[in-house]
């Protein structure tokens, strides 16, 4: 009987030890916001890497070619961090861009010359708006510090890309008129991909640029230097 009691006590102690460990493991699971941000940014990076290749191959304007190379390099580096973070947190990443992003890539594949350049710049403006938008949301609403820090590191790069795109758009005569916008949807919400319509608050103000397909996308204005 004594042996049975001791075994029962030992089992109870083991269970007591397991319970906090299980609770701690559950506590480190990333939130839906963090998970969706990692997944959304991975898809942004997949889109940007492919679009960067297309810009270098098909761009008529040298500025398009140069930005394509820059974006591919920067988003490749960013995606390495995204993948490492997702792996650490057990987040499964999608294997391809969203359907809307793929539709834009298909349009770019079918375009050439000046049409390609204008479509590339316009779709890049829309894509970077959404990336900035999702990143701002993660910084303000994310709960996992590793993912929030990733977003804080990514934001200046994304904003620099956007500012360069605005300058190139002005050179090519692509209108980026001033407009207002205040919405900041999360990456897992109903935010459309490049080619859709979205509003975003932007560092330094807001602008509006036409998106592929005739829709408009409200975009952050370039940072004033």
């Amino acid at each position: 009987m004594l042996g049975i009691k001791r075994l029962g006590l030992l089992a109870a102690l083991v269970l007591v030890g397991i319970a906090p460990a299980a609770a701690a493991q559950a506590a480190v699971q990333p939130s839906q916001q963090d998970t969706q941000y990692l997944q959304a940014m991975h898809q942004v990076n997949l889109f940007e890497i492919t679009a960067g290749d297309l810009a270098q191959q098909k761009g008529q304007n040298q500025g398009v070619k140069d930005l394509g190379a820059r974006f591919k390099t920067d988003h490749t580096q960013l995606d390495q961090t995204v993948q490492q973070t997702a792996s650490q947190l057990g987040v499964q990443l999608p294997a391809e861009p969203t359907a809307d992003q793929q539709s834009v890539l298909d349009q770019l594949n079918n375009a050439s010359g000046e049409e390609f350049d204008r479509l590339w710049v316009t779709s890049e403006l829309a894509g970077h708006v959404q990336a900035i938008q999702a990143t701002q949301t993660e910084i303000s609403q994310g709960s996992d510090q590793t993912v929030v820090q990733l977003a804080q590191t990514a934001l200046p790069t994304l904003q620099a890309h956007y500012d360069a795109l605005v300058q190139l758009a002005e050179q090519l005569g692509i209108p980026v008129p001033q407009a207002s916008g205040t919405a900041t949807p999360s990456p897992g919400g109903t935010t459309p991909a490049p080619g859709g319509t979205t509003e975003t608050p932007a560092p330094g103000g807001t602008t509006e640029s036409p998106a592929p397909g005739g829709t408009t996308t409200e975009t952050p204005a370039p940072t004033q230097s």
Side-chain angles (χ1 to χ4, degrees):
M1 290 295 294
L2 185 58
I4 294 175
K5 289 183 178 178
R6 286 180 177 174
L7 287 174
L9 178 60
L10 178 60
L13 290 173
V14 169
L15 289 174
V16 169
I18 291 175
Q25 184 177 4
V28 300
Q29 295 300 310
S31 67
Q32 184 179 22
Q33 164 64 36
D34 295 329
T35 297
Q36 289 176 341
Y37 177 71
L38 290 172
Q39 292 171 340
M41 282 306 301
H42 180 58
Q43 289 182 304
V44 166
N45 293 330
L46 292 177
F47 172 86
E48 291 298 336
I49 291 167
T50 303
D53 277 334
L54 289 174
Q56 294 174 78
Q57 296 166 11
K58 304 184 66 175
Q60 177 175 283
N61 181 277
Q62 188 60 43
V64 170
K65 291 180 177 290
D66 291 344
L67 279 188
R70 174 182 170 186
F71 290 3
K72 179 182 178 181
T73 297
D74 290 349
H75 282 277
T76 297
Q77 293 175 348
L78 175 59
D79 202 52
Q80 291 174 352
T81 305
V82 170
Q83 291 188 54
Q84 290 171 0
T85 304
S87 177
Q88 292 170 1
L89 297 177
V91 174
Q92 185 173 0
L93 298 177
E96 56 191 16
T98 66
D100 286 342
Q101 289 170 333
Q102 187 58 54
S103 176
V104 174
L105 292 174
D106 291 342
Q107 292 178 52
L108 290 170
N109 270 309
N110 293 327
S112 60
E114 182 180 348
E115 178 191 5
F116 173 88
D117 289 350
R118 294 180 68 86
L119 179 60
W120 187 85
V121 172
T122 300
S123 63
E124 286 292 333
L125 282 167
H128 277 82
V129 162
Q130 291 167 51
I132 290 171
Q133 192 174 44
T135 300
Q136 290 171 331
T137 301
E138 173 60 26
I139 291 171
S140 63
Q141 299 181 16
S143 56
D144 186 280
Q145 194 58 33
T146 303
V147 184
V148 172
Q149 288 177 350
L150 185 156
Q152 291 171 334
T153 300
L155 185 58
T157 298
L158 296 172
Q159 183 65 50
H161 287 186
Y162 178 81
D163 293 345
L165 284 165
V166 170
Q167 293 178 2
L168 183 58
E170 292 172 348
Q171 293 173 14
L172 297 178
I174 299 174
V176 189
Q178 292 292 326
S180 61
T182 56
T184 310
S186 69
T190 56
T191 307
T197 305
T198 182
E199 291 185 349
T200 180
T206 53
T207 56
E208 181 178 300
S209 62
T215 57
T216 59
T217 299
E218 296 198 4
T219 62
T223 305
Q224 298 296 322
S225 57

